[in-house]
Amino acid sequence: KNIKILKKSLLRYKNSTRKVKIAMCGKYNGLHDAYKSIIEAFVHSGMENNVKVEVKWIDTEKLEKIKNKSNAFNDVDGILIPGGFGDRGIEGKIFSSQFAREKKIPFLGICLGLQCAIIDFARNVCNLENVNSTEFIKKVKHPVIDIMKSQKKVSLKGATMRLGSYSCTVFTKTNAYKAYRKKMIHERHRHRYEVNNKYINKLVAKGLTISGKNEKLNLVEIIEIKDHPWFVGVQFHPELKSRIVKAHPLFRDFISAAIKYNESK
């Protein structure tokens, strides 16, 4: 049965003339295999949406040096910020999140991508000054991304790093819930820094939605932005669970939102 469905999907995908273009805002763009799982998730979600997904590679380190940064996004239907470590190209990623937020372009932030979205939101919506992650600046006035005290005590699973599968409660009336269609999910993690719970109330008061949470550890897992057609950031790596017979629901709905954006232009 799965083989028949797969053959039909492949044939429909192969014959599709529709396209959407997604900006991949990373810093390892010289080595496309670094994002192989994401590229494959684009194929899976493209098949389910009967559309071909074209990737526009945007080097965020180079983006930082461009005067008219917004021109880089003129022809895209969605913006994705993948995971990564270190501060190289980070301001370019934060700008990418800000541009997607302000221009109402469908956005998916993965791991570091979520963290960049939080930094942008704290700086430009909450109007906090001197905002950053302690991964990049150890002593910063507003560390909206930090290692939580509870995580500092962890000695298993990569010490302070959250590795492997963790549960997440998905809250109703959110894009995340529309995608998953269930309240409890399990997703794979590989990160050390978290959304700083001290800032949650300020962020939420200005329109940020916490749509998924690990309630056992009291850690934010999924964020969204109100008054935006589709802006989702996740602390985990959904691309790792996407399959050719079943696209990951977040990728599926991200590409669906990109199609709607493309058709509205």
Side-chain angles (χ1 to χ4, degrees), residues 2-18:
N2 278 348
I3 292 171
K4 281 185 179 179
I5 294 169
L6 180 58
K7 281 183 177 178
K8 280 184 180 179
S9 296
L10 283 169
L11 188 64
R12 193 170 65 244
Y13 177 69
K14 192 177 178 181
N15 294 328
S16 175
T17 56
R18 294 195 304 165

Side-chain angles (χ1 to χ4, degrees), residues 1-253:
K1 187 182 176 182
N2 278 348
I3 292 171
K4 281 185 179 179
I5 294 169
L6 180 58
K7 281 183 177 178
K8 280 184 180 179
S9 296
L10 283 169
L11 188 64
R12 193 170 65 244
Y13 177 69
K14 192 177 178 181
N15 294 328
S16 175
T17 56
R18 294 195 304 165
K19 287 184 180 180
V20 290
K21 189 180 287 189
I22 305 297
M24 179 88 85
C25 304
K27 60 181 177 181
Y28 309 124
N29 288 1
L31 185 65
H32 291 184
D33 276 1
Y35 303 118
K36 188 171 176 60
S37 296
I38 293 175
I39 295 165
E40 288 182 354
F42 282 152
V43 173
H44 307 158
S45 51
M47 284 172 63
E48 287 201 19
N49 282 287
N50 193 26
V51 67
K52 288 192 173 100
V53 179
E54 181 184 341
V55 176
K56 181 175 185 178
W57 298 93
I58 293 181
D59 186 319
T60 54
E61 195 173 11
K62 290 178 180 175
L63 185 67
E64 292 174 354
K65 299 166 187 173
I66 299 171
K67 188 176 181 182
N68 296 316
K69 295 179 179 59
S70 59
N71 290 345
F73 301 99
N74 278 346
D75 56 346
V76 305
D77 307 304
I79 294 173
L80 185 145
I81 302 178
F85 295 90
D87 64 352
R88 188 161 56 86
I90 202 68
E91 290 299 326
K93 290 187 178 187
I94 293 166
F95 174 83
S96 302
S97 170
Q98 180 183 359
F99 190 81
R101 176 178 55 77
E102 292 179 347
K103 300 298 180 183
K104 302 285 196 287
I105 301 172
F107 173 87
L108 178 59
I110 297 173
C111 199
L112 180 61
L114 171 145
Q115 296 172 8
C116 290
I118 291 289
I119 293 168
D120 156 50
F121 197 87
R123 286 179 182 177
N124 300 306
V125 180
C126 299
N127 296 316
L128 298 175
E129 292 183 2
N130 195 6
V131 170
N132 221 312
S133 165
T134 53
E135 179 182 1
F136 314 130
I137 300 176
K138 293 298 176 190
K139 292 183 179 179
V140 62
K141 185 177 179 182
H142 293 295
V144 292
I145 306 295
D146 198 4
I147 297 177
M148 296 291 92
K149 283 184 180 179
S150 59
Q151 290 303 106
K152 290 175 184 176
K153 298 171 187 174
V154 176
S155 58
L156 300 174
K157 287 195 175 183
T160 54
M161 184 175 280
R162 272 211 286 161
L163 286 173
S165 181
Y166 284 81
S167 64
C168 170
T169 301
V170 182
F171 303 121
T172 57
K173 297 180 181 177
T174 62
N175 284 322
Y177 187 79
K178 284 177 189 173
Y180 284 104
R181 302 187 186 108
K182 54 184 178 181
K183 291 183 180 179
M184 183 59 67
I185 60 168
H186 291 80
E187 293 282 3
R188 289 166 64 182
H189 293 68
R190 189 177 185 273
H191 69 278
R192 181 168 281 116
Y193 291 82
E194 310 281 355
V195 178
N196 191 337
N197 288 332
K198 291 178 182 176
Y199 290 90
I200 297 292
N201 290 341
K202 283 183 181 177
L203 295 165
V204 169
K206 288 290 186 176
L208 191 84
T209 297
I210 308 300
S211 53
K213 197 171 181 183
N214 182 307
E215 296 190 301
K216 185 179 178 182
L217 298 174
N218 190 28
L219 295 172
V220 171
E221 298 281 34
I222 313 174
I223 61 109
E224 300 179 16
I225 289 175
K226 290 178 183 176
D227 304 320
H228 191 289
W230 210 91
F231 189 108
V232 177
V234 297
Q235 190 62 83
F236 45 82
H237 289 268
E239 71 275 19
L240 300 178
K241 292 184 76 174
S242 189
R243 298 291 181 266
I244 195 164
V245 291
K246 188 172 176 58
H248 191 285
L250 289 177
F251 271 89
R252 180 199 65 217
D253 284 13

